[in-house]
Amino acid sequence: MYIKLWLLAVLCGVANGTLATPIIQHWQSPSGAKVLFVENHDIPMLDVALSIQAGSSFDNSEKKGVAGLTHHLLDLGADGINEDEIARGMADIGAQLGGSFDQDRASITLRTLSSKAELEKSLEIMALVVQSPTFAEKIFSREKVRVIAALKEAETKPESIAEKEFHQALFGKHPYGSPESGDVESVEKISATDIQKFYRDHYLAKEAVVAIMGDITRAKAEEIAQQLTGKLPLSESPVALPMVTMHITSNEKRIAHPASQSHILIGVPGMARNDPDYFPLYVGNHILGGGGFTSRLMKEVREKRGLAYNVYSYFMPLKQPGAFQIGLQTKKEQADGALKVVRDTLAEFIAKGPSESELMASKQNIIGGFPLRIDSNKKILDYLSIIGFYELPLSYLDDFTRNIDKVTVAEIRDAFKRHVNPKEMLTVVVGAPLEEGK
Amino acid sequence: MKGYLINIVLLLGILQVNAQAEVFEHTLKNGLKVIVKEDHRAPVVIQQIWYKVGSMDERTGVTGIAHVLEHMMFKGTDKVPAGEFSKRIAAAGGRENAFTSYDYTAYFQQLHKSKLALAMELEADRMQNLKLTEKNFSKEIKVVMEERRLRTDDEPHSVLQEKMMSVIYQQHPYQHPIIGWMSDLESLTVGDARVWYNRWYVPNNATLVIGGDVKAAEVFAMAERYYGGIAKRALTVRHNFIEPKQTGIKHLVVKAPAELPHLVMSYHAPALSKTLQENKISIEDSGNQDWKVYALQILAGVLDGNESARLNKSLVRDQQIASAAGAGYDATSRGPSLFTLEATPSTGKTVNDVEVALRNEIKKLIKDGISHDELKRVKVQVVADEVYKRDSLFYQVMQIGQMESIGIGHRAIPVMLQKLQAVTAEQVQKIAEEILQDDSLTIAVLDPQPLTGKPKHQSIGAAHVH
């Protein structure tokens, strides 16, 4: 016990003594958009991320894929500037336009040099892309064909087939059950008008979150946030998501595939980003299958038995509970054996929870490694977006290590018991030996 | 938009001063070269150790051993039992991993700056005291086989790439996959791993690169303390492979379960280290003798540097012959290099259509060259990337390690940048004409096959589960 207390004291020293978390400035733009800004002049560059509540969960069930296609088409033509002028305009000044897309969120990112000419030009283009996209029929038709081709290709890949089946079976009719880019059948039905309507209904100024990180002043950041959101649509906020049905009945799906390995996914609906159990589940999962080489699943499946190269578990924290997912790939012939090892490991973990020493080791890793989470502009920008989009406290980073440190073995055991019942889980095996083995 | 070139030129000047000022090097008596990249933005440190040995140093029958040894390096020493390395790094708040390429094998840890001594102690220990046991080897080789199945055997594009390399190279070991052929993995023994470890894991075959919130002088002293006592050993002489000149076009077709066909065209191309070796010069003294590699880098950027670069604009956007198209060239390898073009036909088009379209782009390049706008655009991107690079300590440390391991040295990094900026449009046209010739071309085609027994769903009720 003496040793434990001493170690914790050292850890706190690391967490609170020597590490300054970035100072986050926060305001609402006249447009209604929420802005988070960290001023930093170490590198003459600027990162901006605009996050919109326009992920795949806002798709209409008849036309899955509209949200993804809308996001994809943004930088392929805007008022007075065509797709080539957008790409060349950015390239000419060394700026990079990017983005990401998931169930909740559509985001558009910019990385640019902060020197005046480059900054002005890149923001001018980004402002057009996010606020005046044209979704021209010609471009739309071309990209729709490409998206369908990519979806058909994905349908041949064991990992994509497994993910699609898994989410469908896990979330049923809830929008989280739909594939992020839709499927071939639903995308076929989409028209350019659907895209325009989706944009008008969902790319809303008052729902937008602007994260800004880098080499500008507060005054300039205020100007940029307004420049990027002042002309976004003003429609009503979209209807809230339906609730995820948390309970599932035990179910196992096996799908034939010629691959040499079986792709195995096991899971349940997990936790939302604002779940009060967030930290116990996060730390518990770190011990179970999130902590890399030292996690239990890694030890049991890979280190002890050589059954897989890759085995993991994670919670996908979304607005509503996203998936809790365990995954691995293993030679077909040993799939059932590997599945048993995973299930035994999980059952044991749920029944008994982690040991004190495992919890200690995990805390040491997460708390000691905290500086690595905020050691670049890019990483800080991502935190700003998450904090803004999921309405986490502005002190999230300051409180992070303390929240990790507070977690106890009992809390983990209790939280896991309430969220993951090993007897009521979904299993998807793609590339399975079809006879049910044991 | 007149102002930007001036800014970029000024930036380039600043960059070079910075790049020189922040990197320090010192070689220990045992031959271990230590390089420190100071970066005080965050209280973190990265240790990377680079062994100048990769799959290109393997021989037929033992392919994959370089990568297998990388896995075995986590399996313990007398002082630090199996699994303990990762445990101690994790307990120190660290992240760690390793990677193997054709040219080198590298190991890294990222930690709070106060933990560098621990990382050094552990890394130095496994450089000299690795315990290779039959039991650990037989388990780990299975993990590597699973890795091969995951990354190659069940990935049609990787299979295409693997088979293509074995057709492109007749003699050079780049013809063998880094991860090794499956039949070799099945016959490798712990003895092979021991031979490999004893032969190559010596301080005089390694470069230690440390980056982060540290002081170079302190790092050198610490490196001396932990690594200084490891004895140097004579290195096996490496065979200098001279790939026989290709004397005619080569074709291959690979069938695999997939939906979309794919076409890859690879031409033999010069690499920087070979060019310098052949002329027995350093990069600083090479004048313009190495111009070809920079011209090829620009060429790759003109074809595929942004969304409206030639291939995407012409094949994907305007002609709509391809659903994706790209080009690539890597100047920084120990062995020979390739210039590659590739494309996926769009629905209703064939690999022949995309081949014709790619060839038309080549003809246009050779006939009309590139515009000054295109040239300028690629150069500006290169300079901007140098600024963005400063946001990733890991990448900066990685680039230093890589340049050292391929035998050019990290001081070449700013020199290469300058030489890139000096490339002319005429040089790009000239190199296109010289390199993009059928006699040194290999064309590989992925011929997609239906999944036998199309996805059949079989739901098994709750009673069967576990």
Side-chain angles (χ1 to χ4, degrees):
Chain A
M1 207 52 199
Y2 169 75
I3 290 175
K4 187 186 159 196
L5 286 173
W6 176 79
L7 272 171
L8 281 180
V10 172
L11 286 171
C12 289
V14 170
N16 305 324
T18 58
L19 186 74
T21 52
I23 297 162
I24 302 173
Q25 303 184 54
H26 174 251
W27 66 92
Q28 192 174 36
S29 200
S31 66
K34 196 194 286 181
V35 191
L36 293 94
F37 169 54
V38 169
E39 182 171 348
N40 184 295
H41 303 282
D42 289 347
I43 307 175
M45 61 185 236
L46 180 74
D47 285 285
V48 183
L50 175 67
S51 296
I52 308 277
Q53 292 216 44
S56 61
S57 58
F58 296 97
D59 269 339
N60 173 317
S61 62
E62 289 301 299
K63 289 186 176 169
K64 288 175 278 191
V66 170
L69 206 44
T70 305
H71 178 253
H72 172 73
L73 288 167
L74 286 174
D75 67 345
L76 301 181
D79 276 352
I81 183 166
N82 70 30
E83 56 179 352
D84 293 320
E85 289 161 341
I86 292 169
R88 268 191 239 122
M90 287 292 187
D92 277 337
I93 51 173
Q96 301 167 345
L97 198 56
S100 67
F101 182 80
D102 62 31
Q103 288 120 309
D104 287 345
R105 188 160 60 120
S107 81
I108 302 95
T109 59
L110 171 70
R111 171 163 272 196
T112 178
L113 299 173
S114 55
S115 35
K116 193 165 185 297
E118 284 76 13
L119 192 67
E120 303 287 327
K121 183 72 190 172
S122 59
L123 283 162
E124 182 192 316
I125 298 175
M126 182 176 178
L128 285 169
V129 160
V130 299
Q131 297 173 108
S132 329
T134 41
F135 305 117
E137 182 68 43
K138 212 178 97 200
I139 307 276
F140 163 78
S141 312
R142 183 192 74 202
E143 294 304 311
K144 182 171 148 177
V145 170
R146 289 179 72 201
V147 167
I148 290 171
L151 286 170
K152 284 185 179 164
E153 177 73 17
E155 281 178 9
T156 66
K157 294 188 176 301
E159 64 273 23
S160 315
I161 298 170
E163 284 286 342
K164 191 177 162 187
E165 276 300 321
F166 180 76
H167 283 91
Q168 248 161 34
L170 206 56
F171 295 105
K173 288 201 162 55
H174 188 276
Y176 286 172
S178 305
E180 280 176 22
S181 311
D183 51 38
V184 175
E185 206 191 353
S186 66
V187 173
E188 297 273 15
K189 287 190 252 174
I190 299 173
S191 69
T193 322
D194 295 325
I195 303 291
Q196 277 148 3
K197 180 169 187 328
F198 185 89
Y199 176 80
R200 276 196 313 272
D201 291 347
H202 296 275
Y203 281 66
L204 308 178
K206 62 181 176 185
E207 302 288 331
V209 174
V210 187
I212 307 175
M213 166 81 214
D215 181 28
I216 53 168
T217 61
R218 161 77 183 240
K220 185 70 192 171
E222 286 183 18
E223 192 188 312
I224 289 172
Q226 183 62 17
Q227 184 189 359
L228 293 178
T229 56
K231 292 182 190 141
L232 282 175
L234 295 168
S235 331
E236 286 305 303
S237 296
V239 261
L241 281 177
M243 297 297 285
V244 167
T245 311
M246 294 306 286
H247 181 77
I248 61 159
T249 47
S250 181
N251 189 10
E252 180 166 319
K253 287 176 179 294
R254 294 189 169 225
I255 299 168
H257 192 282
S260 62
Q261 283 184 320
S262 295
H263 288 245
I264 302 174
L265 296 176
I266 304 170
V268 290
M271 66 163 162
R273 196 64 188 69
N274 63 3
D275 195 308
D277 289 327
Y278 181 87
F279 285 99
L281 290 175
Y282 178 80
V283 177
N285 181 67
H286 187 266
I287 298 165
L288 174 65
F293 290 125
T294 51
S295 78
R296 276 205 194 179
L297 284 170
M298 199 66 136
K299 265 190 254 175
E300 296 299 325
V301 176
R302 175 171 159 161
E303 304 298 314
K304 281 196 195 160
R305 298 179 178 84
L307 287 170
Y309 172 68
N310 180 27
V311 55
Y312 63 86
S313 66
Y314 66 77
F315 285 90
M316 180 78 187
L318 296 169
K319 292 258 174 185
Q320 291 266 323
F324 166 70
Q325 178 172 337
I326 299 175
L328 69 152
Q329 312 83 19
T330 189
K331 188 165 70 168
K332 251 179 201 171
E333 297 75 18
Q334 65 198 19
D336 289 317
L339 197 48
K340 182 170 180 347
V341 173
V342 170
R343 284 176 174 159
D344 288 350
T345 306
L346 178 68
E348 160 99 10
F349 185 79
I350 303 287
K352 297 185 188 154
S355 68
E356 285 289 346
S357 65
E358 280 178 311
L359 176 61
M360 176 71 129
S362 241
K363 285 185 181 178
Q364 285 173 330
N365 182 245
I366 300 168
I367 295 173
F370 181 69
L372 297 169
R373 290 171 186 254
I374 51 167
D375 65 358
S376 75
N377 291 12
K378 178 70 181 57
K379 291 179 190 174
I380 291 169
L381 181 83
D382 288 345
Y383 271 119
L384 296 181
S385 293
I386 293 284
I387 290 169
F389 191 80
Y390 288 103
E391 298 171 337
L392 305 178
L394 282 179
S395 61
Y396 181 77
L397 290 172
D398 301 313
D399 302 339
F400 183 83
T401 53
R402 213 172 310 128
N403 280 323
I404 296 289
D405 197 28
K406 279 198 303 214
V407 172
T408 66
V409 166
E411 281 173 347
I412 292 173
R413 197 164 41 216
D414 174 55
F416 263 83
K417 278 213 168 115
R418 281 183 286 109
H419 283 81
V420 184
N421 177 355
K423 295 208 172 72
E424 300 282 323
M425 295 190 82
L426 167 69
T427 304
V428 172
V429 184
V430 174
L434 269 180
E435 70 285 10
E436 161 73 326
K438 251 263 138 146
Chain B
M1 275 327 306
K2 280 273 152 63
Y4 71 82
L5 255 189
I6 295 168
N7 292 336
I8 296 286
V9 172
L10 283 176
L11 270 170
L12 187 61
I14 295 164
L15 280 177
Q16 279 156 10
V17 174
N18 282 346
Q20 306 281 0
E22 293 166 359
V23 183
F24 305 87
E25 64 173 80
H26 169 67
T27 303
L28 305 187
K29 285 200 190 75
N30 59 15
L32 178 70
K33 190 169 184 180
V34 187
I35 301 175
V36 180
K37 163 83 196 170
E38 289 191 14
D39 182 331
H40 305 288
R41 289 201 306 146
V44 298
V45 68
I46 296 174
Q47 165 172 258
Q48 290 183 357
I49 188 134
W50 291 69
Y51 293 96
K52 191 175 170 178
V53 64
S55 68
M56 72 172 275
D57 300 293
E58 297 166 350
R59 290 293 176 271
T60 318
V62 287
T63 65
I65 192 67
H67 171 251
V68 169
L69 201 270
E70 178 227 294
H71 276 239
M72 294 305 295
M73 285 287 277
F74 293 84
K75 295 297 164 192
T77 63
D78 284 329
K79 273 190 286 182
V80 183
E84 193 62 21
F85 188 104
S86 299
K87 235 177 171 171
R88 290 191 198 175
I89 293 297
R95 303 175 187 176
E96 50 142 7
N97 217 322
F99 47 89
T100 307
S101 84
Y102 289 116
D103 298 341
Y104 43 74
T105 313
Y107 302 79
F108 67 85
Q109 301 86 33
Q110 298 168 271
L111 313 104
H112 185 266
K113 63 175 178 174
S114 63
K115 305 294 182 183
L116 180 57
L118 170 78
M120 278 202 187
E121 187 180 3
L122 288 167
E123 198 62 85
D125 178 45
R126 70 176 173 180
M127 183 191 280
Q128 49 191 327
N129 302 317
L130 188 66
K131 222 168 117 183
L132 290 158
T133 69
E134 179 64 45
K135 194 171 147 239
N136 286 336
F137 184 88
S138 60
K139 257 185 294 184
E140 199 58 28
I141 195 77
K142 286 195 213 158
V143 172
V144 174
M145 289 180 201
E146 292 297 344
E147 185 179 358
R148 191 190 146 85
R149 290 182 189 106
L150 179 69
R151 292 188 160 167
T152 305
D153 298 341
D154 291 344
E155 282 289 336
H157 280 230
S158 306
V159 175
L160 183 70
Q161 164 77 11
E162 179 176 281
K163 293 193 188 295
M164 188 179 190
M165 289 296 274
S166 66
V167 168
I168 289 173
Y169 292 107
Q170 196 178 346
Q171 191 205 3
H172 197 278
Y174 282 176
Q175 67 185 272
H176 301 299
I178 297 165
I179 199 159
W181 300 107
M182 190 59 105
S183 62
D184 283 351
L185 296 181
E186 280 159 1
S187 67
L188 286 178
T189 66
V190 68
D192 295 322
R194 248 178 235 133
V195 169
W196 193 260
Y197 177 69
N198 290 334
R199 184 180 293 163
W200 300 114
Y201 281 68
V202 290
N204 43 314
N205 192 40
T207 309
L208 178 68
V209 193
I210 308 289
D213 190 13
V214 291
K215 291 203 179 77
E218 291 171 14
V219 173
F220 293 144
M222 202 186 278
E224 177 62 43
R225 190 176 331 135
Y226 292 106
Y227 292 94
I230 306 173
K232 82 190 283 181
R233 286 202 302 275
L235 284 173
T236 312
V237 179
R238 294 170 206 262
H239 187 77
N240 185 24
F241 291 95
I242 310 287
E243 176 67 18
K245 194 176 162 58
Q246 187 176 332
T247 51
I249 192 166
K250 299 183 194 177
H251 282 103
L252 73 147
V253 176
V254 175
K255 292 183 177 180
E259 171 70 21
L260 305 174
H262 190 67
L263 175 122
V264 187
M265 300 170 71
S266 282
Y267 299 86
H268 289 286
L272 182 56
S273 55
K274 281 273 172 194
T275 305
L276 299 176
Q277 276 163 27
E278 278 160 19
N279 296 296
K280 298 196 167 49
I281 38 171
S282 74
I283 189 164
E284 288 87 350
D285 302 328
S286 64
N288 66 355
Q289 292 182 67
D290 50 352
W291 70 272
K292 289 178 185 176
V293 300
Y294 312 108
L296 283 168
Q297 282 178 287
I298 300 277
L299 179 59
V302 168
L303 291 172
D304 190 22
N306 66 79
E307 290 295 295
S308 74
R310 287 192 178 201
L311 295 186
N312 199 53
K313 165 118 181 80
S314 172
L315 273 66
V316 179
R317 290 182 169 180
D318 293 349
Q319 304 180 62
Q320 300 181 26
I321 284 175
S323 65
Y329 166 71
D330 179 11
T332 53
S333 53
R334 267 169 66 200
S337 189
L338 298 168
F339 192 92
T340 296
L341 304 169
E342 60 188 313
T344 304
S346 55
T347 313
K349 301 290 176 185
T350 65
V351 286
N352 291 333
D353 295 331
V354 295
E355 184 184 338
V356 169
L358 287 172
R359 284 180 177 278
N360 282 338
E361 292 305 317
I362 294 170
K363 276 182 211 147
K364 252 191 284 174
L365 270 175
I366 294 174
K367 183 165 164 283
D368 306 326
I370 63 166
S371 73
H372 285 276
D373 277 352
E374 286 178 304
L375 178 66
K376 205 164 69 182
R377 194 171 295 139
V378 178
K379 290 182 180 180
V380 167
Q381 284 175 286
V382 169
V383 176
D385 286 345
E386 277 305 297
V387 177
Y388 304 149
K389 192 178 92 180
R390 290 167 58 191
D391 196 40
S392 172
L393 178 61
F394 189 88
Y395 179 72
Q396 295 174 73
V397 171
M398 170 114 191
Q399 197 182 23
I400 292 170
Q402 189 186 16
M403 293 304 285
E404 291 294 324
S405 301
I406 62 167
I408 300 176
H410 71 274
R411 301 212 180 274
I413 297 168
V415 182
M416 286 176 73
L417 270 180
Q418 271 169 340
K419 291 189 172 194
L420 258 176
Q421 296 298 319
V423 171
T424 66
E426 292 69 33
Q427 286 178 320
V428 176
Q429 185 176 10
K430 208 170 146 194
I431 199 67
E433 187 172 7
E434 183 186 322
I435 296 298
L436 305 177
Q437 292 292 334
D438 268 10
D439 280 357
S440 68
L441 168 64
T442 301
I443 300 184
V445 166
L446 174 68
D447 180 5
Q449 302 297 303
L451 310 188
T452 44
K454 274 275 181 194
K456 252 189 299 178
H457 296 223
Q458 180 183 343
S459 200
I460 295 167
H464 293 268
V465 178
H466 187 54

